[in-house]
Amino acid sequence: MTDEQIAEQIAYYSSRAPEYEDWWHRRGVFDKGPEVNARWEAEAAQALAALTSLDLGSDALEVAPGTGTWTVHVAPRVARLTLVDGSQAMLDLNPVAAREDVRTVVADIFAWDTEERFDSVVFTFWISHVPRERLDAFFAGVARWLRPGGRVFFVDDAPVAATESHVAGTAGQTMVRRLQDGREATIVKNFYRPDELRAAADAAGIDLDVRSTPTYFQYATGVRRTEPD
């Protein structure tokens, strides 16, 4: 994937920011009726329970927090939180971003780095947007940002997400998404197998436990292995 394609992905999410919460909270075009909605909400709760059961320590990094759907569950559990997102428009709608104990950084996540080390790294609905050729490097970054013994959590879509009404097509590593005003953009969308994720994490020094809900989500918890003395 080229830098231009990554830039198109960032631009898409900036444009989608005002309607992003339709998916998670308001549902809107994603509303499929009481029975399906209830199943979706139960599976979301299963993934959330994995996050809330994890010791995040006191200093956390959230990668691609967007409008804060999961940030609101991370922030109350840590003393300090750093949010790194490629879209200022997304961060502007994140209800946690303005807190005094929260620092925000607008940056291309594939280019961003820091010498800081954190107790935990969280990324939600992001790993599927990582190109396959950058997956190893991304997990190497996560390991580098974590203190030894630090924790990882992520959640993302299961492949059923490719059938949603705002998806105009898929090809290889890409998905064409349609905004409510009819504009379309091509983004990276990979539905990684658990063994692919575990292998990339393991190579970086992270032990990763990858799980799936019955239909809608894939999620994982992990720990940065302690470095030898």
Side-chain angles (χ1 to χ4, degrees), residues 16 18 21 28 41 49 51 73 89 92 104 135 141-142 150 152 168 172 174 176 179 184 187-188 201 228:
R16 193 183 173 200
E21 289 299 308
E41 289 170 3
L51 171 62
H73 300 291
D92 286 344
T104 62
L135 184 64
V142 173
V152 178
T174 64
V176 179
L179 294 165
E184 294 184 350
I187 64 169
V188 177

Side-chain angles (χ1 to χ4, degrees), residues 109-156:
I109 293 162
F110 297 114
W112 180 80
D113 202 358
T114 180
E115 294 184 356
E116 291 185 75
R117 300 296 177 261
F118 302 88
D119 296 321
S120 55
V121 176
V122 173
F123 40 102
T124 62
F125 300 92
W126 163 252
I127 198 68
S128 62
H129 300 308
V130 176
R132 289 186 175 276
E133 62 272 21
R134 302 192 187 197
L135 184 64
D136 288 346
F138 175 70
F139 270 109
V142 173
R144 191 166 58 251
W145 303 328
L146 280 168
R147 297 184 178 99
R151 304 291 174 168
V152 178
F153 172 83
F154 72 79
V155 62
D156 215 300

Side-chain angles (χ1 to χ4, degrees), residues 28-117:
V29 297
F30 300 95
D31 189 332
K32 296 179 175 63
E35 182 177 346
V36 175
N37 289 346
R39 185 164 65 246
W40 187 91
E41 289 170 3
E43 293 189 21
Q46 180 181 336
L48 179 58
L51 171 62
T52 56
S53 67
L54 198 65
D55 181 3
L56 299 179
S58 62
D59 194 357
L61 167 66
E62 186 176 1
V63 175
T67 57
T69 302
W70 291 71
T71 316
V72 297
H73 300 291
V74 175
R77 302 180 56 228
V78 297
R80 185 171 179 268
L81 177 61
T82 298
L83 307 177
V84 181
D85 201 289
S87 169
Q88 181 66 59
M90 282 283 191
L91 289 173
D92 286 344
L93 295 175
N94 190 316
V96 170
R99 286 175 41 157
E100 290 186 359
D101 57 343
V102 174
R103 178 182 57 164
T104 62
V105 179
V106 179
D108 176 351
I109 293 162
F110 297 114
W112 180 80
D113 202 358
T114 180
E115 294 184 356
E116 291 185 75
R117 300 296 177 261

